[in-house]
């Protein structure tokens, strides 16, 4: 067992104190469990013999299935309002079953499994590079995070050395995609609040980021840009200059739009106290990423479980305590600014061309690797076993899968019209949940 | 034509009495058949009176030496017309409906009808009072025949009786004061204004208002009907004609009182507007197939008061034209409501017959129904109550709003402002009542039957409802001609010759349009259906003759899910929860949650199942509950303090009284 | 509000001139173009064997299968083909580079405006987002009479993205049935055409046309917004006629 570069505290099969630590990952066969100790800012890796009471699904099940538990509600006039799987306003296939007596949400069950493409099983036996093509197409808007985590796990399993420049390229791709996703999430919330001018301006910014990705990586979604062990595309000095210049413009533009949005009373009022999630229920429901950080828990893999190049960078940790939709959006806005700072540091410290070593021809050997990446919507974990250069076993826990129960909890007692604000503030993706 | 109609109605009651014998069904049906024949006869007499003037009635000398007679004049003939229309429908319906009920229902039914016929045709207030009291007691009897939990029926019937007797008491006060004013009991105008006249007015307004179920007495309307689930033919008679009797009494007394001060109209307008708003609001959140129409009755009776209030205000301001128009509006509203509401209650009875429930949220998914006419009739009645053209309810709502729009003509700013507020209330209620009617139609009629379920066919019930719908269309389309027929009633009220506000304008033939005020609004009820019909023919012809257009039937779009799965359809309750939440300050909405099932583990992974109820309250019911509690407490205190059951004290009371009398006699002497 | 107005004025016009002008390199990066063998270079067995989605055959490229992974660039191919590739026939074997098998525009009689209903039957979101981005300022589909609708009842076009999963077969059929005639179905992206990179995975259908009849196939993984615009314009016969070079 190898892991890609972060410190853990190995423990035995002891009980986990409620509320202090939350499960981040558990392999289906019970062979591996990963807990975050938020008090001490550490992760704990364990091999429990007794299955825990926590249930975060790692391998997506086939067919439609609930993604969170909701209370059974009975009472006069109550009924279930099915919404989806082709839901207006949610541009993905997924369903929500709302228990209600009209207007008010008494319980909400997200239902996934409409997009299950069985990536985790269909890559078995494929060479790592070919498997990467499927992994990056698990969730196109999160491709950089998924493929980076997958490759890091596979590389550490094989013991394959990775040039530093490639790690920088991966970090660059991830941060660009973080910018895109956060910008898009803000636009979606602005859309829900009918801030039409604002949403057009923010969407325009998102399109500029996509074009930037296209011009640097040749593909607007950076598909095929990251390969095991070696750079598929070199990001040369000219590219970096262009990026730096364009990102400067995007950052300046975002600052203006962000302050205009936050000056809009209708926008802020609509988000404030919508779909609140307390710190306790955020931890208890196993929330990760901006959702967790908006509820007052400062955990970010780039800080708490950093891999190069993040080990060498200054990463700020935007944090809110209100836990409502506004807090989640504020965290995203601040993370856009933080990401721009990270990108600047990347360009400053970019390894010189000479330091790039060509990848080793033959990988060292079979093994199992685990890697974590802070995706735009949270902690992403990959657990990969590789033998003879082919994937033998693949498990992952996506941030969306972890955040569905938190979303369902926050919608308790909300009204129907809160739905889009809440949903978009969580940044949930059915594609990566279903896998 | 002499007037044997009353005798026939009473005969119906007597036959009903015999119906309590074994082999009762046939006898009961004969009783209802006689009631049907009597109603048709009364209808004929009323029409004859309106068309040609009063027809000969029965006359005799009363025990107090007063001349008594039973005869219709213009005013009473109009109300007799409205009531007999309703009774024709309910009697025909009862022949098919009342086969599972106890025999007492037929007796009380006949008695109620006879009593209302009596009070409408009475020429003196003494006879009127006799009819009034028989009506109250017989209706109480009808409510006691309800199905359901015994204690609830009894308490609901008791509420009805209590409010009914309170009403009688107030009417009695009004009649007594009237006697002082006029020196007799004979109905007819008295002159002079003063404290006594105002006493007559206020007592009559409260007394008859109680029967009409207007705020704050609206409990007398909805509680007996909704809580006890009175038999549907009884509900229709109670809600359509008992309240009509109240309206008639009010019209009669006010028409006898001569020139009204402005505050009478203002008071009436205020009570009416509040009733309209409350009735519509509670109707829109009601979950009972009869409670909803009962609340709607409160709204409609409020509208009658609003129109009458505008008429009185206009008269006090010397605006004769507006006064007459508002009176026409009040009359038309009375008949439009009575007929439409009948269809709704009969339909509720039908739904109960088919599904066995009065619960709107439980109706959907019941048994399939197949009688022709029922759906159409109910739809038309609901549309009429929701004021959709070209139906009767639309014409009356338009006339009332037109009257209110003209409140700017009043001289005092207070009256103008009151008119403005009342107009806003009526308009708001018009919107809320649409919600209520959509709910009634959508959940009591247009639901999808559960697969394979068939209800016992209730032959004749549906046809009756359909026929009532037809009457409503006729009333709406023929509104200008009906108004001409209403004119004698208005004339009897205004004690002057009036002409109906009917004319021809804008290329519409003379007599086809209703005109409100000389330079104000105009409406042509016949032109609306003609326009709709023409447009339909054009559309039909286009698609029929245009050729090649196929009809493709698809299932409703439910965001990709299979539609209409059990437990996944909107409930009637859910439909109006928006109003419950938005108007929670008025409705006192509160949510009651109770955990059910074991609490296995705290936390989100295994949530605890719970039961939830969203409750609304009628604050006036709270008020009455408090009043009852306070009365009981005071009585109790009185009992303890003054009447503790000690012989000595009672002897002391007697001694004191004797002394007081002795002193009084001595002083007086 | 004035802040927003000022912002809009300061940014100026962002919208593309497409379809009046060919797509610019920023609108269509290299991988937006169809891969073709370099001039005078025959298709090598290495290229055929190295293609992870078996899009390359000795006699040509199956553009409907291609996921633009760029592996073949090392085997004598280049991204030099057209951006707009929409065809009315499943593009198994186009006749040659740049071939556009245009059928008669199926919605031509709707005139100048169509409403699009987007259905995801199992995509990675890239196609969804590319399709939705035609409404963003840089493309502004509304200037071309193209609008999105949230109800199939109001739609003329069923735009399907993703590889159909079993769970989405029935919902897709329902959506198709719910759209009033005349209607057109556009299968957008490699997954919707042939299953894309997931072709052959158990539990997945190989293409949308196994479920509903498809009028237009739009290759790409994902197709860039200009290609989506081209496809939708093609439905009403308003596409850019000159093949972009």
């Amino acid at each position: 067992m190898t892991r890609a570069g972060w410190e853990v505290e190995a423990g035995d099969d002891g009980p986990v104190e409620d509320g202090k630590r939350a499960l981040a990952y558990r392999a289906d066969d019970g062979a591996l469990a990963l807990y975050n100790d938020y008090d001490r800012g550490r992760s704990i890796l364990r091999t429990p013999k007794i299955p825990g009471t926590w249930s975060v699904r790692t391998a997506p099940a086939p067919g439609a299935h609930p993604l969170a538990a909701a209370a059974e509600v009975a009472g006069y006039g109550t009924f279930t309002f099915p919404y989806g799987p082709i839901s207006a306003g949610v541009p993905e296939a997924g369903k929500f079953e709302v228990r209600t007596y009209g207007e008010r949400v008494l319980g909400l069950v997200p239902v996934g499994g409409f997009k299950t493409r069985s990536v985790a099983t269909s890559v078995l036996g494929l060479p790592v590079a070919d498997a990467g093509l499927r992994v990056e197409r698990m969730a196109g808007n999160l491709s950089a995070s998924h493929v980076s985590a997958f490759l890091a796990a596979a590389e550490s399993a094989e013991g394959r050395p990775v040039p530093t420049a490639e790690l920088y390229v991966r970090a660059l791709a991830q941060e660009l995609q973080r910018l895109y996703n956060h910008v898009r999430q803000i636009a979606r919330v602005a859309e829900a609040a009918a801030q039409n001018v604002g949403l057009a301006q923010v969407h325009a910014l998102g399109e500029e980021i996509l074009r930037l990705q296209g011009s640097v990586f040749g593909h607007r979604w950076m598909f095929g840009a990251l390969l095991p062990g070696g750079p598929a595309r070199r990001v040369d000095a000219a590219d970096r200059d262009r990026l730096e210049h364009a990102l400067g413009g995007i950052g300046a533009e975002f600052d203006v739009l962000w302050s205009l949005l936050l000056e809009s009373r209708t926008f802020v009022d609509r988000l404030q106290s919508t779909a609140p999630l307390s710190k306790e229920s955020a931890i208890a429901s196993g929330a990760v990423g901006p959702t967790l950080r908006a509820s007052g828990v400062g955990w970010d893999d780039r800080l708490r479980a950093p891999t190069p190049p993040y080990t060498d960078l200054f990463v700020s940790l935007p944090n809110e305590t209100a836990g409502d939709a506004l807090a989640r959006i504020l965290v995203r806005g601040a993370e856009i600014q933080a990401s721009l700072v990270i990108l600047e540091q990347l360009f400053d410290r970019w390894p010189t061309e000479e330091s790039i070593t060509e990848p080793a021809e033959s990988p060292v050997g079979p093994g199992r690797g685990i890697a974590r990446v802070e995706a735009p919507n949270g902690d992403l974990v990959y657990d990969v076993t590789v033998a003879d250069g082919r994937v033998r076993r693949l498990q992952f826990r996506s941030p969306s899968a972890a955040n569905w129960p938190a979303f369902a909890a926050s919608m308790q007692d909300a009204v129907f019209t809160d739905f889009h604000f809440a949903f978009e503030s969580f940044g949930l993706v059915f594609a990566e949940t279903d896998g | 034509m002499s007037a044997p109609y009353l005798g026939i109605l009473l005969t119906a009651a007597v036959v009903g009495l015999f119906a309590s014998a074994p082999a009762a069904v046939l006898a009961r049906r004969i009783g209802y058949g006689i009631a049907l024949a009597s109603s048709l006869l009364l209808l004929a007499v009323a029409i004859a009176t309106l068309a040609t003037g009063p027809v000969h009635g029965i006359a005799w000398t009363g025990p107090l030496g007063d001349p008594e007679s039973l005869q219709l004049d213009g005013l009473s003939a109009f109300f007799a017309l409205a009531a007999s229309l309703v009774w024709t429908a309910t009697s025909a319906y009862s022949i098919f409906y009342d086969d599972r009920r106890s025999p007492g229902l037929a007796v009380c039914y006949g008695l109620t009808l006879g009593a209302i016929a009596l009070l409408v045709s009475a020429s003196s207030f003494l006879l009127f009072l006799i009819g009034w009291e028989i009506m109250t007691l017989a209706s109480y009897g009808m409510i006691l025949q309800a199905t359901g939990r015994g204690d609830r029926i009894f308490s609901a019937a008791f509420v009805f009786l209590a409010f009914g007797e309170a009403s009688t008491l107030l009417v009695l006060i009004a009649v007594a004061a009237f006697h002082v004013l006029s020196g007799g009991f004979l109905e007819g105008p008295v002159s002079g204004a003063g404290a006594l006249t105002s006493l007559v007015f206020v007592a009559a307004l409260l007394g008859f208002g109680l029967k009409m179920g207007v705020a704050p007495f609206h409990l007398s309307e909805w509680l007996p009907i909704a809580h006890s689930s009175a038999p549907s033919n009884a509900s229709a008679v109670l809600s359509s004609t008992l309240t009509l009797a109240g309206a008639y009494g009010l019209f009669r007394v006010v028409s006898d009182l001569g020139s009204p001060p402005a505050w009478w109209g203002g008071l009436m307008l205020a009570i009416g507007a509040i009733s309209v708003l409350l009735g519509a609001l509670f109707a829109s959140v009601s979950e009972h197939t009869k409670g909803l129409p009962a609340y709607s009755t409160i709204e409609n009776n409020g509208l009658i008061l609003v129109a009458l209030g505008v008429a009185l205000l206009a008269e006090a301001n010397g605006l004769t034209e507006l006064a007459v128009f508002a009176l026409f509006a009040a009359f038309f509203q009375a008949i439009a409501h009575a007929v439409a509401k009948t269809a709704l209650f009969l339909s509720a009875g039908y739904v109960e017959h088919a599904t066995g429930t009065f619960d709107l949220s439980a109706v959907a998914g019941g048994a399939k129904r197949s009688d022709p006419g029922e759906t159409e009739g109910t739809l038309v009645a609901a549309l009429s109550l929701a004021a959709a053209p070209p139906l009767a309810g639309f014409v009356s709502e338009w006339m009332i709003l037109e009257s209110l729009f003209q409140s700017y003509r009043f001289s005092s700013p207070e009256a103008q402002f009151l008119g403005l507020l009342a107009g806003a209330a009526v308009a708001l209620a018009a919107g809320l009542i649409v919600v209520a009617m959509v709910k009634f139609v959508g959940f009591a009629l247009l639901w999808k039957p559960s697969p394979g379920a068939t209800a016992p066919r209730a032959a004749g019930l549906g046809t009756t409802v359909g026929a009532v719908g037809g009457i409503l269309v006729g009333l709406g389309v023929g509104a200008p001609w009906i108004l001409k027929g209403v004119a004698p009633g208005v004339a009897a009220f205004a004690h002057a010759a009036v002409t109906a506000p009917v004319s021809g304008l804008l290329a519409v033939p003379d007599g086809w349009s209703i005109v409100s005020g000389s330079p104000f609004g105009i409406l042509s009820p016949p032109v609306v259906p003609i326009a709709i019909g023409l447009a339909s023919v054009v559309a039909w012809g286009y698609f029929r003759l245009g050729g090649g257009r196929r009809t493709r039937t698809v299932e409703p779009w439910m965001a990709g899910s299979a539609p209409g799965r059990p437990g996944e359809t909107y409930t009637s309750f859910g439909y109006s929860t928006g109003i419950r939440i938005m108007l929670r300050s008025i409705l006192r909405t509160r949510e009651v949650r109770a955990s059910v099932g074991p609490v296995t583990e705290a936390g989100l992974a295994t949530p605890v199942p719970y039961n939830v109820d969203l409750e609304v309250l009628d604050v006036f019911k709270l008020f009455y509950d408090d009043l009852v509690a306070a009365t009981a407490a005071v009585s109790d205190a009185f009992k303890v303090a003054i009447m503790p059951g000690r012989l000595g004290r009672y002897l002391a009371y007697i001694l004191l009284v004797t002394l007081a009398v002795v002193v009084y006699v001595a002083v007086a002497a | 509000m004035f802040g927003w107005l000022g912002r809009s004025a300061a940014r100026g016009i962002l919208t593309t001139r497409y379809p009046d002008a060919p797509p610019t390199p920023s609108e269509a990066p290299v991988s937006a173009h169809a891969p073709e063998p370099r001039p005078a270079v025959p298709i090598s067995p290495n290229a055929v064997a190295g293609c992870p989605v078996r899009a390359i055959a000795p006699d040509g490229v199956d553009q409907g299968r291609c996921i633009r992974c760029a592996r073949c660039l090392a085997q004598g191919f280049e991204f030099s083909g057209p951006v707009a590739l929409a065809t009315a026939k499943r593009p198994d074997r186009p006749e040659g580079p740049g071939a556009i098998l245009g059928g008669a525009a199926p919605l031509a009689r709707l005139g100048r405006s169509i409403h699009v209903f987007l259905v995801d039957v199992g995509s990675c979101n890239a196609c969804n987002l590319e399709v939705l981005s035609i409404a963003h300022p840089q493309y502004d589909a509304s200037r071309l009479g193209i609008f999105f609708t949230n109800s199939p009842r109001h739609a003329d076009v069923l735009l399907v993205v993703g590889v159909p999963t079993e769970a989405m077969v029935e919902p897709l059929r329902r959506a198709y049935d719910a759209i009033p005639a005349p209607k057109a179905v556009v299968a957008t992206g490699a997954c919707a055409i042939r299953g894309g990179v997931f072709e052959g995975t158990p539990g997945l259908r190989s293409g949308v046309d196994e479920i509903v009849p498809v009028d237009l196939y739009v290759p790409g993984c994902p197709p860039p917004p200009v290609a989506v615009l081209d496809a939708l314009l093609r439905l009403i016969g308003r596409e850019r006629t000159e093949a972009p070079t």
Side-chain angles (χ1 to χ4, degrees), chain A residues 33-232:
Chain A
L34 177 64
Y35 304 90
N36 290 335
D37 182 341
Y38 294 126
D39 289 344
R40 287 189 293 159
R42 306 200 61 173
S43 292
I44 304 156
L45 202 58
R46 283 185 177 171
T47 51
K49 297 178 190 77
I50 312 158
T53 51
W54 307 96
S55 57
V56 175
R57 200 176 276 284
T58 52
H65 58 268
L67 300 173
E72 291 287 320
V73 186
Y76 185 83
T78 52
F79 60 100
T80 301
F81 180 64
Y83 184 53
I86 305 175
S87 6
V90 179
E92 268 199 279
K95 188 174 174 179
F96 304 89
E97 283 172 359
V98 184
R99 195 77 192 147
T100 179
Y101 48 58
E103 278 312 301
R104 188 165 285 158
V105 178
L106 302 174
L108 180 143
V109 181
V111 181
F114 292 95
K115 300 178 72 162
T116 307
R117 286 143 294 151
S118 314
V119 174
T121 50
S122 77
V123 296
L124 300 184
L126 288 182
V128 173
D130 286 4
L133 292 179
R134 297 190 179 208
V135 167
E136 67 191 356
R137 282 168 180 79
M138 180 135 56
N141 56 326
L142 303 167
S143 60
S145 302
H146 275 270
V147 83
S148 298
F150 168 71
L151 291 180
E155 284 154 356
S156 81
E158 289 185 292
R160 191 200 288 265
V162 187
T164 317
E166 171 66 7
L167 295 176
Y168 270 70
V169 171
R170 288 178 192 175
L172 168 66
Q174 285 177 45
E175 293 305 322
L176 283 175
Q177 210 154 46
R178 192 185 318 279
L179 289 183
Y180 171 76
N181 277 286
H182 284 353
V183 159
R184 180 173 161 275
Q185 226 61 51
I186 290 168
R188 296 280 301 169
V189 173
E191 185 177 350
Q195 298 278 317
N196 286 332
V197 182
L199 102 92
Q201 298 273 11
V202 180
H203 269 318
L205 211 56
E207 172 69 18
E208 276 176 31
I209 298 168
L210 285 182
R211 288 181 177 188
L212 203 55
Q213 291 173 175
S215 78
V216 174
F217 293 97
H219 192 286
R220 283 162 61 88
W221 301 87
M222 302 182 284
F223 289 173
L226 306 178
L227 287 177

Side-chain angles (χ1 to χ4, degrees), chain B residues 363-365 369 375-376 379 438-449:
Chain B
V363 163
R369 294 163 304 138
T375 310
E376 292 81 355
L379 192 58
V438 168
K439 192 166 136 167
F440 187 87
V441 169
F443 290 94
L445 285 181
L446 299 181
W447 41 268
K448 215 173 168 184

